[in-house]
Amino acid sequence: MNYSEAVREITEVIPDFENELTKTMPQNSYSVIRTFTERIKNMVRQNDRNILFKSIQKMDKIYTNGDLALKNAIEGVFIYSLDNFTAFCSGEYRKVIFSHMSKELQQTYSRQIYNHGI
C-alpha cells in the first residue's frame, strides 16, 4: 500500500480527510500520516471514542500493509507523538486507547520509547 491507497483507507473512516489533505503540500507518506495523527489527537482530546478506535485500527492496517515509507512515517510521526497526546488522559482512557492498537504497533511503541536516548 502506498500513500494514495492509505488516503482512500483513511477516507473510509473520516470522509472529509481527503479535502483536509489537499491543503497540505506536498502530499506524501509523511504528510498523510501527520494529518491523520492530528485528527487522532483531536479525537483523543474530544473523547470521540467511536471514530478514534476505528482510526487506530485503520492506522494498524496501514502499518501492516503499507510500504516502507508509510511504516517509517507511522513510526516517526504517530508512534513518536502517542505520549504527547495521551499524556493528559486518565490512566484508564490511555489503556483503552492502547488496547485498540495491534500488538505490532504496541511493540513498536515500546521499542521506540525504551530505546530512546540509548
Side-chain angles (χ1 to χ4, degrees):
M1 173 185 314
N2 63 28
Y3 77 90
S4 296
E5 294 164 321
V7 170
R8 284 193 290 278
E9 287 287 329
I10 296 165
T11 304
E12 290 176 9
V13 179
I14 306 170
D16 66 338
F17 184 76
E18 207 164 357
N19 295 336
E20 186 174 343
L21 198 58
T22 57
K23 300 172 192 168
T24 307
M25 291 295 175
Q27 290 185 17
N28 56 40
S29 296
Y30 278 87
S31 64
V32 169
I33 298 304
R34 189 173 21 256
T35 304
F36 192 29
T37 299
E38 281 298 314
R39 289 295 290 264
I40 290 172
K41 184 190 322 183
N42 290 332
M43 290 173 210
V44 168
R45 288 184 180 146
Q46 295 167 4
N47 202 16
D48 189 354
R49 293 179 182 220
N50 188 33
I51 298 173
L52 169 64
F53 299 150
K54 288 178 184 174
S55 296
I56 291 171
Q57 290 166 346
K58 196 58 81 171
M59 189 71 82
D60 280 328
K61 182 176 182 180
I62 295 168
Y63 187 73
T64 301
N65 300 322
D67 60 18
L68 187 60
L70 281 169
K71 287 182 189 291
N72 287 339
I74 290 169
E75 290 176 11
V77 177
F78 176 71
I79 296 292
Y80 188 76
S81 59
L82 269 172
D83 273 349
N84 183 3
F85 62 79
T86 60
F88 300 105
C89 298
S90 69
E92 181 182 323
Y93 186 34
R94 192 170 195 274
K95 285 179 188 173
V96 170
I97 292 168
F98 277 82
S99 74
H100 282 82
M101 290 172 47
S102 68
K103 292 290 179 217
E104 187 178 12
L105 269 185
Q106 288 179 27
Q107 289 169 347
T108 302
Y109 168 80
S110 294
R111 195 170 47 247
Q112 189 179 76
I113 297 306
Y114 297 118
N115 287 337
H116 186 70
I118 293 179

